[in-house]
Amino acid sequence: SSPNLKSVCSVTKFIFVHWVGSMASAVPRGHWNAQLNEALMVFSSTAIKREAHCLADLQLEDLAEELRRSTVVDGVLATGHITAGNYLSALAVEGFEREAAARVQAEESLHRQRRQQLRLSRHASHGVPDLKTAIEVVKSESGGWNWVLCGWPSASVAEMALPPMPWR
């Protein structure tokens, strides 16, 4: 891919699609148009609008052609760079990047789980893990526990009895 293509691909364009069903009356369409105009004021330089009555009105090649006609990057028309093929290629690259990020996240989660298991195994001989480990296990999505009971190590039930209250 050429550097010029990369700069063109880094421009984000929005296509506002108004799906007009066969049962749509004029009032909801007018309401949508009012909202669309507000949105277009915010995204005026990066948006086009399309009204669709059927799926044929949303063909990728037609949308790419409309984007090509309306897109200028650094004073140069983007003709030739905005195509359905380039769009599909960009989607494939984005999908690959998301999958790679998900793999990294899964590996990090696995490392956290292993560290937790290691800490738990160190404390297994004592019967009770330290507070930090217990809380991390409860907070983790794949932890072995879903609750933790915290208290004072030497406190007994009798020692924790509430002091007498005047209304008792």
Side-chain angles (χ1 to χ4, degrees), residues 29-91:
R29 289 178 66 190
H31 183 66
W32 180 84
N33 285 330
Q35 292 174 337
L36 173 68
N37 289 333
E38 290 176 22
L40 285 175
M41 287 171 42
V42 174
F43 298 101
S44 62
S45 65
T46 60
I48 59 175
K49 62 181 179 176
R50 172 66 72 98
E51 187 172 297
H53 298 271
C54 63
L55 286 178
D57 294 338
L58 297 175
Q59 294 298 313
L60 184 56
E61 294 80 12
D62 295 339
L63 294 172
E65 175 62 30
E66 193 167 343
L67 283 173
R68 242 189 328 272
R69 285 193 311 262
S70 69
T71 303
V72 176
V73 177
D74 295 329
V76 177
L77 281 174
T79 54
H81 296 296
I82 299 177
T83 64
N86 284 347
Y87 175 73
L88 294 174
S89 295
L91 282 180

Side-chain angles (χ1 to χ4, degrees), residues 162-168:
L162 294 173
M165 299 291 167
W167 56 82
R168 285 192 194 170

Side-chain angles (χ1 to χ4, degrees), residues 13-27:
K13 296 290 280 188
F14 299 92
I15 301 175
F16 290 95
V17 176
H18 180 204
W19 184 263
V20 181
S22 60
M23 304 297 286
S25 67
V27 173

